[in-house]
């Protein structure tokens, strides 16, 4: 149930921690061991590919994204729909930081879903769903005739639409996407963004722009800089399953994000953190 005393974006930012887990592994990054740095990758819709940088509008607000293979990719693994990017078309319903964002949530916290028969290792999906149901009020019901539902299917990377789009939407899972990555992608589908977009993130982290891979700088833009309003909720949660790791999107093996004291932190793709759970409780 939506509680209008909190801004939607706050929830989105809270849960939308940066997920830099590589699709291939559950990260337990040891930053001192360079061979493991490569594991500290966020989920990506198209690993190894960058597309044409585009600027559009989302709910009347400017948004930067990349167009890759016809998809509109935002923050690496979020797929925006054409409807979301159509200026003036239902904008209030899709606008982060406005109460209208509630339409991006699933009524009564019920997510209808199907699993494409061609998807290998479907236990990733069923295990991720079981984790969500054990740790949040969100419920998952096999779709029958509903028009709005999530289909889990094979993808080139790990990716998801953001929030309930109102029609069929997808969570795309390459073979390397783990159960943890799937939990993260479900987070996007229920309306969570990445944590690094919080307005108050500079209170908690340093962003080392010089170490970010070319083409991924936009993944580190605060939502206020993108024109969004909103209120941050809770403290930035380094343990969130939606949070990037220190070396996510690094171009040179040096950290892209550190704590304020300069120390690095690991990426977490095991399950919803305590902070994730409290935020989702407030959201749903
Ligand atoms: Zn993500």
């Amino acid at each position: 149930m939506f509680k209008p005393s909190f801004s939607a974006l706050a929830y989105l930012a809270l849960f939308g921690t940066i997920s830099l887990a590589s699709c291939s592994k559950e990260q337990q990054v040891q930053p001192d061991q360079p061979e493991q740095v490569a594991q500290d990758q966020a989920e990506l819709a198209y690993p190894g590919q960058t597309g044409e940088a585009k600027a559009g509008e989302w709910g009347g607000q400017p948004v930067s994204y990349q167009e890759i293979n016809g998809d509109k990719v935002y923050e690496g693994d979020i797929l925006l729909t054409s409807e979301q990017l159509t200026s003036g078309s239902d904008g209030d319903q899709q606008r982060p930081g406005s109460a209208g964002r509630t339409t991006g949530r699933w009524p009564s916290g019920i997510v209808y879903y199907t699993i494409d028969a061609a998807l290998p290792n479907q236990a990733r999906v069923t295990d991720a769903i079981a984790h969500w149901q054990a740790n949040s009020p969100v419920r998952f019901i096999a779709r029958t005739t509903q028009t709005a539902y999530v289909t889990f299917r094979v993808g080139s990377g790990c990716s998801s639409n953001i929030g309930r789009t109102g029609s069929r939407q997808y969570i795309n899972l390459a073979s390397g996407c783990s159960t943890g990555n799937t939990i993260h992608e479900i987070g996007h589908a229920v309306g969570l963004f990445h944590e690094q977009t919080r307005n108050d993130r500079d209170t908690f982290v340093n962003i080392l722009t010089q170490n970010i891979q070319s083409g991924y700088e936009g993944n580190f833009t605060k939502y206020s800089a993108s024109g969004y309003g909103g209120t941050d909720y809770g403290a930035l949660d380094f343990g969130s399953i939606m949070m990037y790791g220190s070396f996510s999107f690094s171009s040179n093996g040096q950290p892209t994000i550190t704590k304020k004291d300069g120390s690095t932190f690991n990426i977490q793709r095991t399950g919803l953190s305590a902070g994730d759970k409290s935020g989702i409780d407030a959201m749903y």
Side-chain angles (χ1 to χ4, degrees), residues 218-245:
N219 294 16
F220 297 83
T221 302
K222 287 187 285 189
Y223 62 75
S224 58
S226 298
Y228 297 130
T231 303
D232 299 317
Y233 175 74
L236 188 147
D237 181 5
F238 287 96
S240 168
I241 200 163
M242 308 302 287
M243 181 70 187
Y244 283 179

Side-chain angles (χ1 to χ4, degrees), residues 17-19 42-43 75 77-78 184-185 188 194 242 244 269:
T17 355
I18 312 165
S19 25
E43 288 83 359
E75 293 187 0
D77 69 330
I78 296 171
H184 173 100
E185 296 303 337
H188 288 316
H194 291 140
M242 308 302 287
Y244 283 179
R269 288 298 180 274

Side-chain angles (χ1 to χ4, degrees), residues 52-231:
E52 183 181 355
K54 297 264 191 174
E57 288 192 356
W58 185 3
Q61 301 290 342
V63 62
S64 298
Y65 61 95
Q66 291 191 13
E67 189 155 299
I68 308 176
N69 297 338
D71 280 329
K72 298 167 180 62
V73 182
Y74 178 67
E75 293 187 0
D77 69 330
I78 296 171
L79 305 182
L80 300 176
T81 67
S82 296
E83 290 74 18
Q84 285 169 328
L85 288 169
T86 300
S87 178
S89 171
D90 234 359
D92 288 344
Q93 295 187 16
Q94 298 295 342
R95 177 177 177 173
S98 77
R101 182 68 199 183
T102 54
T103 57
R105 299 182 192 179
W106 296 80
S108 303
I110 297 173
V111 177
Y112 294 96
Y113 74 98
T114 63
I115 303 175
D116 190 285
L119 180 69
N121 188 9
Q122 296 188 6
R124 294 176 291 174
V125 176
T126 53
D127 289 351
I129 286 174
H131 179 81
W132 268 90
Q133 296 203 139
N135 291 281
S136 82
V138 181
R139 291 294 171 263
F140 296 80
I141 297 177
R143 181 254 183 181
T144 52
T145 60
Q146 292 80 18
T147 55
Y149 63 102
V150 175
T151 293
F152 295 86
R153 67 176 180 181
V154 175
S156 57
C158 319
S159 60
S160 175
N161 294 119
I162 183 81
R164 178 182 182 272
T165 68
S167 58
R168 188 183 198 184
Q169 62 190 83
Y170 296 97
I171 289 179
N172 304 298
L173 302 173
S175 59
C177 303
S178 66
T179 297
N181 297 137
T182 306
I183 295 169
H184 173 100
E185 296 303 337
I186 290 173
H188 288 316
V190 302
L192 310 183
F193 282 99
H194 291 140
E195 187 82 345
Q196 80 278 14
T197 63
R198 292 169 61 115
N199 272 332
D200 66 352
R201 64 101 186 274
D202 292 333
T203 303
F204 303 96
V205 299
N206 303 310
I207 304 295
L208 304 170
T209 307
Q210 68 272 25
N211 298 330
I212 299 173
Q213 291 176 38
S214 178
Y216 291 102
E217 298 88 347
N219 294 16
F220 297 83
T221 302
K222 287 187 285 189
Y223 62 75
S224 58
S226 298
Y228 297 130
T231 303

